[in-house]
Amino acid sequence: GNTEDNVKKLYETVWRNKALTDTYEPGSTFKSITAAMGIEEGRINKNSIVSDAPLDLSGWQIRCWRKYQDHGSETFADAVKNSCNPAFMTIGERIGADMFIKYVNGFNLIAPTGIDLPGEANGLFFTKPQMGIVEVATTSFGQGFEVTPIQMITAVSAVCNGGYLMRPYVVSSIEDNDGNTVLVNEPTVIRQVISSETSDKVNAILET
């Protein structure tokens, strides 16, 4: 291509802020969100017994990524430590589509975070009619939908900091040439998504 096309391509690839503009499947990092909503809603606790047995859903067999090292029945705390997909699918079934959608919105994984940078994209999540048994199962371990990295780190931070979803920002303040402050950003709580008690419980499990 010509020089102008090359410059445009370079600009779009090298200078694009992928943390804001590109979406991806969060995968196992989303298990922290599933754990938080499950504990918050009383669907699970750290001592609940779950299994890594493969699950057959609508012709799809989903098994633990450690398929050659089965760990069998385990506590939920151990399932988190083992990052066990079938165990999380069990929790997903207990949570259900309505609650997933509630918490995905609560953790701000669809709408932009409002960070003070341009070009932020939306997350891509199921609507209620789209969430059948397979979608609920795969959502529980972070597959089948997409978020931006900034959305995900903001949500995980809320899990860990007492349940408070914060609005992220980069610039704390700006002064003009005369030393006058013309802009100030301060920590802003958008909402509390889970209780501080749930946050403490999830943190203790995640530390393992």
Side-chain angles (χ1 to χ4, degrees):
N2 59 40
T3 301
E4 184 177 342
D5 289 340
N6 290 337
V7 169
K8 182 179 179 182
K9 183 177 180 181
L10 185 67
Y11 177 81
E12 291 176 348
T13 55
V14 176
W15 294 106
R16 189 169 71 213
N17 189 340
K18 295 181 180 180
L20 276 68
T21 63
D22 290 10
T23 58
Y24 76 112
E25 285 187 323
S28 290
T29 59
F30 187 79
K31 290 172 181 172
S32 59
I33 308 295
T34 303
M37 69 177 82
I39 290 173
E40 177 75 7
E41 296 291 338
R43 301 300 198 268
I44 196 75
N45 63 62
K46 68 177 183 178
N47 296 316
S48 299
I49 301 299
V50 292
S51 173
D52 75 339
L55 297 180
D56 195 323
L57 299 175
S58 301
W60 292 84
Q61 188 177 72
I62 303 176
R63 58 172 64 245
C64 185
W65 65 276
R66 296 171 53 168
K67 59 185 176 182
Y68 301 115
Q69 302 177 30
D70 293 344
H71 34 262
S73 295
E74 56 194 341
T75 66
F76 179 61
D78 282 336
V80 175
K81 182 168 63 177
N82 291 321
S83 194
C84 182
N85 288 353
F88 273 88
M89 290 162 60
T90 301
I91 309 311
E93 184 180 11
R94 298 178 190 179
I95 291 170
D98 286 335
M99 198 177 298
F100 264 121
I101 292 172
K102 170 189 171 184
Y103 278 93
V104 163
N105 280 294
F107 280 109
N108 212 94
L109 290 169
I110 301 176
T113 64
I115 191 171
D116 54 341
L117 291 172
E120 187 176 5
N122 294 323
L124 305 171
F125 199 75
F126 304 106
T127 63
K128 174 64 186 302
Q130 293 172 326
M131 285 197 79
I133 186 172
V134 173
E135 289 74 25
V136 168
T138 57
T139 294
S140 70
F141 53 85
Q143 294 184 14
F145 64 97
E146 296 185 3
V147 296
T148 63
I150 190 63
Q151 286 177 317
M152 193 62 199
I153 193 60
T154 303
V156 171
S157 296
V159 170
C160 299
N161 74 356
Y164 295 98
L165 183 75
M166 308 296 293
R167 177 172 291 111
Y169 62 89
V170 177
V171 177
S172 59
S173 65
I174 297 175
E175 294 182 356
D176 63 19
N177 291 335
D178 298 321
N180 300 310
T181 300
V182 295
L183 180 145
V184 175
N185 280 320
E186 296 181 344
T188 302
V189 176
I190 298 174
R191 69 182 69 90
Q192 187 173 14
V193 190
I194 56 173
S195 68
S196 58
E197 291 80 8
T198 294
S199 177
D200 289 343
K201 291 175 182 177
V202 177
N203 283 339
I205 292 172
L206 292 176
E207 285 173 7
T208 66

